[in-house]
């Protein structure tokens, strides 16, 4: 049993379904038929009750793909309603529905972590990431519960995608669509935290969420080039809150050169401003990087939203207020397979031109 995605409106929501059955001797038979799959429409008096009923039924079947398809359909329905005016009476209903959906996504992400079939695992991860983008799309409808569940799901999927052993082809290029989905969902959480009416009222909790957010962005920047060839053009992923540029190369090729500032043809530049970073000669001498003949990663992150925006809250201490950022922030770090490189005792400085 499975939940079919809706058909195209241009075809009156009709989809063609084909089935092929093959026996152990190689004989096969096939059949096809058109079916109509219309967009989700609530059948109960409120969406929360409807979502609860449908998700309970899907979960009982034990098919995680069906559950995730349903989550995505419900999230798309909420997002359409959220764009329409006059729906204020459904606001609390939609907030609670997002809690229900994020809990389902977290359960699916957890199931991916224990799935032995790598193809199934990758499929579940992709569906979870798509659902996270949809469910977190309206920061004003996020609660602390849905924000926390979403963040946990992102952490789980990001950790799985960072481990080459969990991919069907460890040396294959990273799924950029998956990375973009995780980055977009993370950006939505940053925007939720930055709202004056942020659902996270505890400064300590906000600090933990901010730290996790920054860690996720750093992990994504590493994963983006985990299977890259040294010297390839940088990989760029851009969101509303931050942009990531990652590149793999040998230390001697980075040293004494200007880092290329993220345009790979299909994605927008890392920054709309003219920015360049000059890496001085000998920058990696003290790190001993490259002595093993292996490349390193350059990770450049441009923050447009302050992940530590909670520090500007009225109840923040003076010390916390001091870390509030008044401008965009650009961070640059280098790492090898063992972790971040500690660059020190430079004879020449790094030069950042804005």
């Amino acid at each position: 049993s499975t939940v079919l995605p809706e058909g195209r409106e241009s075809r009156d929501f009709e989809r063609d379904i084909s089935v092929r059955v093959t026996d152990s001797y190689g004989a096969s038979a096939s059949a096809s038929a058109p079916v109509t799959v219309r967009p989700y429409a609530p059948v109960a008096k409120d969406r929360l009750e409807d979502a609860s009923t449908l998700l309970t039924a899907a979960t009982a079947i034990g098919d995680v793909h069906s559950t995730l398809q349903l989550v995505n359909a419900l999230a798309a329905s909420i997002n359409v309603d959220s764009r329409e005016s006059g729906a204020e009476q459904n606001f609390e209903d939609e907030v609670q529905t997002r809690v229900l959906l994020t809990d389902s996504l977290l359960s699916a992400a957890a199931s991916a972590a224990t799935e032995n079939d790598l193809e199934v695992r990758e499929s579940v991860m992709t569906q979870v990431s798509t659902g996270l983008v949809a469910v977190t799309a309206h920061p004003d409808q996020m609660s602390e519960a849905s924000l926390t569940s979403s963040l946990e799901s992102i952490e789980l999927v990001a950790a799985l995608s960072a481990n080459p052993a969990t991919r069907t082809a460890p040396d294959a290029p990273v799924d950029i669509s998956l990375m973009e989905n995780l980055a977009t969902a993370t950006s939505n959480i940053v925007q939720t935290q930055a709202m004056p009416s942020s659902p996270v009222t505890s400064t300590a909790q906000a600090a933990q969420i901010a730290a996790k957010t920054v860690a996720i962005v750093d992990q994504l920047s590493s994963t983006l080039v985990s299977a890259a060839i040294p010297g390839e053009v940088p990989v760029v992923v851009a969101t509303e809150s931050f942009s990531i540029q990652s590149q793999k190369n040998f230390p001697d090729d980075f040293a004494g050169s200007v880092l290329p500032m993220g345009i790979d043809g299909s994605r927008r530049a890392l920054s709309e401003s003219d920015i360049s970073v000059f890496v001085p000669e000998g920058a990696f001498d003290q790190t001993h990087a490259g002595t093993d003949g292996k490349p390193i990663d350059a990770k450049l992150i441009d923050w447009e939203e302050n992940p530590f925006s909670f520090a500007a809250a009225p109840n923040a201490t003076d010390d916390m207020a001091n870390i509030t950022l008044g401008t965009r922030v650009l961070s640059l770090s280098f790492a090898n397979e063992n972790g971040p490189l500690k660059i020190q005792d430079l004879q020449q400085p790094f030069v950042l031109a804005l």
Side-chain angles (χ1 to χ4, degrees):
S1 176
T2 188
V3 178
L4 297 175
E6 66 185 60
R8 294 183 180 178
E9 187 174 4
S10 60
R11 295 188 55 188
D12 196 25
F13 304 105
E14 190 175 272
R15 301 184 67 88
D16 294 323
I17 303 298
S18 299
V19 177
R20 184 182 183 86
V21 179
T22 303
D23 64 18
S24 59
Y25 296 99
S28 62
S30 59
S32 60
V35 295
T36 299
V37 186
R38 298 191 178 278
Y40 160 77
V43 297
K45 62 181 180 180
D46 60 60
R47 193 187 315 274
L48 180 59
E49 179 184 340
D50 205 40
S52 179
T53 301
L54 292 171
L55 285 171
T56 299
T59 303
I61 296 173
D63 185 347
V64 67
H65 291 288
S66 296
T67 301
L68 289 171
Q69 288 173 351
L70 183 56
V71 167
N72 279 285
L74 290 163
S77 175
I78 295 175
N79 291 340
V80 169
D81 282 357
S82 297
R83 291 194 296 267
E84 298 174 352
S85 58
E88 292 185 7
Q89 67 275 15
N90 296 324
F91 178 80
E92 185 59 31
D93 176 53
E94 293 177 353
V95 169
Q96 293 304 316
T97 301
R98 289 184 194 275
V99 173
L100 189 65
L101 298 182
T102 54
D103 285 346
S104 294
L105 289 172
L106 180 56
S107 295
S111 72
T114 59
E115 176 58 59
N116 293 322
D117 188 319
L118 297 183
E119 289 188 2
V120 172
R121 175 181 290 181
E122 286 190 351
S123 176
V124 171
M125 289 164 57
T126 298
Q127 285 185 285
V128 169
S129 72
T130 301
L132 285 166
V133 172
V135 173
T136 60
H138 288 269
D140 61 312
Q141 292 185 1
M142 294 290 287
S143 65
E144 184 171 346
S146 59
L147 188 152
T148 301
S149 294
S150 296
L151 193 61
E152 289 183 28
S153 296
I154 296 171
E155 285 184 301
L156 276 171
V157 178
L160 287 172
S161 62
N163 184 359
T166 66
R167 303 175 198 160
T168 52
D171 296 329
V174 173
D175 185 347
I176 295 296
S177 295
L178 174 62
M179 295 293 100
E180 288 179 327
N181 284 344
L182 293 175
T184 299
T186 304
S187 172
N188 291 342
I189 288 177
V190 173
Q191 292 183 314
T192 300
Q193 282 251 86
M195 293 191 310
S197 57
S198 170
V200 182
T201 56
S202 164
T203 303
Q205 176 71 359
Q208 291 178 4
I209 292 173
K212 289 182 178 181
T213 299
V214 173
I216 289 170
V217 174
D218 182 70
Q219 185 172 58
L220 294 179
S221 66
S222 297
T223 305
L224 280 170
V225 289
S226 57
I229 297 174
E232 284 186 327
V233 295
V235 181
V236 178
V237 170
T239 72
E240 293 296 323
S241 302
F242 56 83
S243 299
I244 302 171
Q245 171 179 301
S246 298
Q247 184 181 29
K248 186 182 291 293
N249 213 337
F250 295 100
D252 289 344
D253 292 319
F254 279 130
S257 65
V258 176
L259 290 179
M261 296 302 290
I263 301 177
D264 69 357
S266 62
R267 303 176 213 290
R268 76 169 174 84
L270 175 74
S271 175
E272 295 176 357
S273 305
D274 292 328
I275 299 175
S276 64
V277 178
F278 174 75
V279 182
E281 293 283 0
F284 308 103
D285 289 352
Q286 299 297 319
T287 67
H288 303 293
T291 56
D292 56 1
K294 295 182 179 180
I296 61 175
D297 301 337
K299 303 186 290 184
L300 199 61
I301 302 173
D302 180 9
W303 289 93
E304 299 188 34
E305 293 275 355
N306 177 13
F308 295 97
S309 57
F310 66 89
N315 62 342
T317 66
D318 290 341
D319 288 341
M320 294 175 65
N322 288 335
I323 67 171
T324 302
L325 307 177
T327 63
R328 290 164 60 185
V329 172
L330 190 70
S331 69
L332 170 64
S333 62
F334 294 89
N336 61 13
E337 59 184 11
N338 297 318
L341 298 178
K342 185 178 181 180
I343 298 176
Q344 57 188 2
D345 299 331
L346 296 177
Q347 298 301 313
Q348 302 177 47
F350 278 76
V351 179
L352 172 63
L354 302 178

